[in-house]
């Protein structure tokens, strides 16, 4: 799909963490029903056989691919925004929300490239089966600070969601 406002959702600045401004991508599929309601699950809605539309009102022929494109564009926009808003940051931690309520926690010096790697199947083994649907980036002044925050975030997410739903910070085996 060509780049236009139909295919990119806004990102959210969610406040200051780790010494800078954190940024989140949208989790929306970017799809609408004929009556204009948001489609939460492209796969489930497509299975009904009903037509789906963009935010601009255009018919979508492949809802699942469209939703992946919209989510990917939103994650790329979040990566660019966190970089722009935090010029003094040398590293970033991120929490990627995956399908089925799973999470992946990581750290990187290049958020755009890392999210592209995860989204294209070239990231961690944990994200090969479950591509990211949305992501939150937090900037850090040093790689050491980002690694410490990655570990702390991993254990926080693991305690909140369970060890079977969270990977990252060296715990990167695939989900069963």
């Amino acid at each position: 799909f060509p780049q236009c406002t139909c295919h990119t959702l806004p990102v959210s600045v969610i406040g200051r963490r780790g010494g800078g401004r954190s940024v989140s991508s949208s989790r929306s599929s970017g799809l609408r029903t004929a009556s204009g309601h948001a489609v939460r699950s492209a796969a489930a809605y497509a299975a009904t056989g009903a037509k789906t539309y963009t935010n601009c009102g255009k018919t979508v022929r492949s809802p699942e691919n469209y939703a992946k494109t919209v989510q990917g564009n939103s994650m790329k926009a979040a990566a660019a925004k966190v970089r722009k808003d935090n010029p003094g940051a040398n590293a970033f931690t991120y929490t990627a929300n995956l399908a089925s309520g799973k999470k992946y926690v990581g750290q990187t010096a290049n958020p755009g490239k890392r999210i592209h790697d995860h989204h294209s199947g070239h990231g961690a083994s944990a994200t090969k089966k479950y591509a990211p649907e949305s992501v939150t980036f937090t900037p850090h002044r040093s790689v050491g600070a980002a690694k410490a925050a990655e570990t702390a975030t991993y254990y926080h997410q693991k305690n909140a969601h369970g060890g079977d739903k969270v990977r990252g910070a060296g715990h990167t085996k695939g989900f069963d």
Side-chain angles (χ1 to χ4, degrees):
F1 299 103
Q3 291 284 343
C4 79
T5 56
C6 289
H7 311 299
T8 304
L9 298 170
V11 297
S12 303
V13 176
I14 58 172
R16 297 199 175 272
R17 289 180 173 161
R21 296 176 64 165
S22 294
V23 177
S24 280
S25 66
S26 174
R27 239 187 149 151
S28 171
S29 68
L31 295 167
R32 300 275 176 206
T33 65
S35 61
H37 292 92
V39 172
R40 299 197 191 285
S41 171
Y45 196 78
T48 69
K51 288 185 178 180
T52 54
Y53 301 88
T54 68
N55 289 331
C56 300
K58 296 179 182 174
T59 302
V60 175
R61 293 177 193 233
S62 178
E64 291 178 78
N65 288 341
Y66 181 84
K68 286 179 186 175
T69 299
V70 168
Q71 290 166 346
N73 289 346
S74 181
M75 287 184 274
K76 289 175 195 170
K81 182 155 183 58
V82 76
R83 213 15 145 182
K84 180 182 173 197
D85 287 358
N86 299 282
N90 293 312
F92 303 83
T93 54
Y94 60 95
T95 300
N97 296 300
L98 315 176
S100 302
K102 295 176 180 0
K103 309 245 182 225
Y104 182 82
V105 178
Q107 63 89 20
T108 183
N110 187 339
K113 180 183 182 315
R114 191 66 183 139
I115 285 304
H116 178 267
D117 290 346
H118 284 306
H119 210 259
S120 65
H122 299 290
S125 60
T127 61
K128 287 182 181 174
K129 184 175 180 182
Y130 300 97
E133 294 179 344
S134 67
V135 67
T136 299
F137 291 103
T138 301
H140 301 279
R141 293 208 178 271
S142 70
V143 172
K147 285 182 179 183
E150 175 192 25
T151 300
T153 303
Y154 168 78
Y155 284 108
H156 173 77
Q157 294 288 339
K158 183 179 171 184
N159 290 336
H161 302 286
D164 61 324
K165 297 231 180 226
V166 181
R167 297 289 185 271
H171 307 276
T172 57
K173 69 176 184 170
F175 292 103
D176 296 331

